[in-house]
């Protein structure tokens, strides 16, 4: 349902990365063009469709004048803004530039297949018109884990899509999920994820820790004993292995998301040795550092 007369209007719950907390959220599409990842419950309540440009235009033009003047950042929701054709995206970016005098940055979630569907020229044009920051879910660099959790893309495809986005000039923020390989593929998942980060060389890396969302296929598999979520110590070991395998030029690395047991923040490669030393010490000394308790963890 569109809202109550206030602009912008929203349909369903709206999600955005933590770093877009201060951004104006503008829905340019509803849901996720894929919507089949076994661990994800974000958009299961809605059917994927692209929002008509006239409606988006109405939302932006009718913003409160004070909001127009003060908006520096916009996040284009929902789950995969690059599912829009390039021409539609350029119209939206042109509209934002015309209506928001203080606009500095536009960001969006992007899916590997949507990125791969656009040509290099289209991506460059979209970037040059103001969409600068893309948030991409790698989830895992381990193909077996990606296949088991129904991600719908291989690590090679995600790496190719990310490299294509980087060539077009986008800043990339990647997420991956600790624990996604289950107990069975815990370390394979971790090491392959670090190698994928190295192959992509993103600007930001944000780790989440798996939390089963009721009603998702992964939660059902866990209920039936077909998937076992690694415990906190195994999750910290995964984190250690990911950092050890990640070889990047300059990336902010964070585990500050509320799903994680331990909040770390640093820059790689600069802080790599210090982060590894801290994790090795914690792993060797048991429960000396209080981890975030289960009841405080959230997505
Ligand atoms: S994880 Fe991303 S691509 Fe997968 S269903 Fe959720 S929003 Fe869509």
């Amino acid at each position: 349902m569109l809202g109550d007369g206030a602009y912008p209007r929203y349909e369903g719950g709206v999600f955005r990365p933590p770093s877009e907390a201060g951004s104006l959220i503008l829905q340019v599409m509803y849901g996720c063009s894929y919507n089949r990842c076994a661990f994800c419950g974000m958009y299961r309540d809605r059917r994927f469709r692209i929002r008509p440009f006239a409606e988006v235009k109405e939302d932006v033009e009718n913003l409160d004048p004070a909001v127009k003047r003060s908006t520096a950042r916009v996040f284009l929701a929902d789950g995969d803004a690059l599912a829009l054709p390039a021409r539609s995206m350029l119209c939206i970016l042109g509209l934002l530039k015309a209506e928001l005098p203080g606009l500095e940055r536009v960001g969006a979630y992007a899916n590997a297949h949507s990125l791969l569907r656009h040509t290099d020229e289209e991506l460059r044009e979209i970037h040059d018109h103001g969409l600068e920051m893309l948030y991409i879910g790698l989830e895992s660099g381990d193909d077996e884990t990606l296949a088991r959790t129904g991600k719908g893309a291989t690590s090679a495809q995600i790496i190719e899509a990310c490299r294509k986005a980087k060539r077009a000039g986008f800043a990339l923020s990647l997420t991956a999920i600790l624990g996604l390989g289950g107990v069975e593929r815990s370390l394979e998942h971790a090491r392959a994820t670090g190698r994928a980060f190295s192959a992509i060389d993103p600007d930001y890396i944000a780790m989440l820790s798996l939390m089963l969302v009721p009603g998702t296929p992964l939660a059902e598999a866990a209920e039936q004993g077909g998937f076992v979520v690694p415990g906190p110590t195994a999750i910290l070991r995964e984190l250690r292995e990911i950092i050890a395998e990640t070889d990047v030029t300059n990336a902010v690395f964070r585990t500050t998301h509320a799903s994680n047991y331990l909040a770390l923040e640093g820059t790689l490669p600069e802080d790599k040795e210090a982060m590894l030393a801290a994790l090795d010490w914690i792993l060797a000394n048991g429960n000396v550092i209080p981890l975030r308790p289960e009841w405080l963890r959230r997505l």
Side-chain angles (χ1 to χ4, degrees):
M1 285 290 289
L2 289 178
D4 51 5
Y7 294 95
R9 298 159 296 180
Y10 298 114
E11 180 182 291
V14 183
F15 299 91
R16 47 104 189 122
S19 55
E20 298 282 348
S23 305
L24 175 78
I25 313 290
L26 181 68
Q27 272 180 312
V28 298
M29 56 176 291
Y30 297 122
C32 164
S33 59
Y34 181 64
N35 216 14
R36 293 198 292 278
C37 298
F39 52 86
C40 175
M42 283 163 73
Y43 304 113
R44 285 181 187 264
D45 63 340
R46 70 199 78 166
R47 184 174 57 85
F48 164 69
R49 61 210 195 278
I50 289 170
R51 200 171 168 206
F53 177 69
E55 219 175 88
V56 176
K57 189 166 181 270
E58 205 178 299
D59 268 17
V60 177
E61 287 179 344
N62 286 297
L63 285 170
D64 185 286
V67 173
K68 281 192 185 184
R69 280 195 302 276
S70 64
T71 297
R73 290 187 175 193
V74 172
F75 181 75
L76 303 178
D78 284 341
D80 178 22
L82 282 175
L84 269 71
R87 199 174 317 141
S88 309
M89 188 56 89
L90 295 178
C91 288
I92 291 168
L93 294 168
L95 169 74
L96 294 176
K97 205 170 275 183
E99 294 289 330
L100 307 174
L103 185 64
E104 288 169 8
R105 193 181 87 175
V106 183
Y109 288 128
N111 166 311
H113 288 301
S114 297
L115 275 166
L116 292 174
R117 266 195 297 274
H118 287 290
T119 64
D120 286 340
E121 293 69 33
E122 285 173 339
L123 288 179
R124 167 63 65 183
E125 212 177 345
I126 291 169
H127 171 268
D128 292 351
H129 277 70
L131 178 61
E132 290 177 8
M133 181 79 193
L134 295 181
Y135 299 87
I136 300 173
L138 166 68
E139 328 302 8
S140 175
D142 176 37
D143 280 335
E144 185 71 34
T145 298
L146 289 171
R148 287 183 186 187
T149 54
K151 182 67 187 171
T154 62
S155 61
Q157 288 170 320
I158 302 172
I159 290 167
E160 188 191 343
C162 291
R163 285 178 167 171
K164 193 172 174 182
K166 275 193 70 164
R167 279 199 306 274
F170 291 100
L172 296 189
S173 178
L174 259 64
T175 53
I177 307 175
L178 295 163
L180 193 63
V183 165
E184 207 181 322
R185 291 197 68 77
S186 180
L187 291 181
E188 288 88 346
H189 158 60
R191 290 171 184 148
T193 299
R195 290 195 295 273
F197 285 147
S198 307
I200 295 167
D201 199 13
D203 304 278
Y204 301 90
I205 296 172
M207 298 304 306
L208 279 69
S209 293
L210 181 65
M211 297 188 73
L212 296 172
V213 179
T216 57
L218 198 62
E220 281 161 19
E223 266 165 38
Q224 290 157 18
F227 181 85
V228 182
V229 182
T233 305
I235 293 284
L236 292 185
R237 198 167 292 123
E238 286 189 16
L239 181 58
R240 191 232 176 262
E241 291 304 302
I242 287 176
I243 294 172
E245 291 288 337
T246 298
D247 183 12
V248 287
T249 311
N250 183 29
V252 174
F253 185 96
R254 291 190 183 109
T255 68
T256 48
H257 188 270
S259 62
N260 291 306
Y261 292 103
L262 180 72
L264 284 182
E265 181 164 7
T267 303
L268 296 178
E270 207 177 309
D271 300 324
K272 181 170 179 167
E273 291 313 317
M275 285 202 256
L276 287 176
L279 283 162
D280 283 339
W281 189 84
I282 293 167
L283 285 165
N285 290 284
N287 296 331
V288 284
I289 299 274
L291 302 179
R292 180 177 279 129
E294 291 294 341
W295 63 275
L296 270 181
R297 293 178 65 219
R298 59 188 161 79
L299 284 173

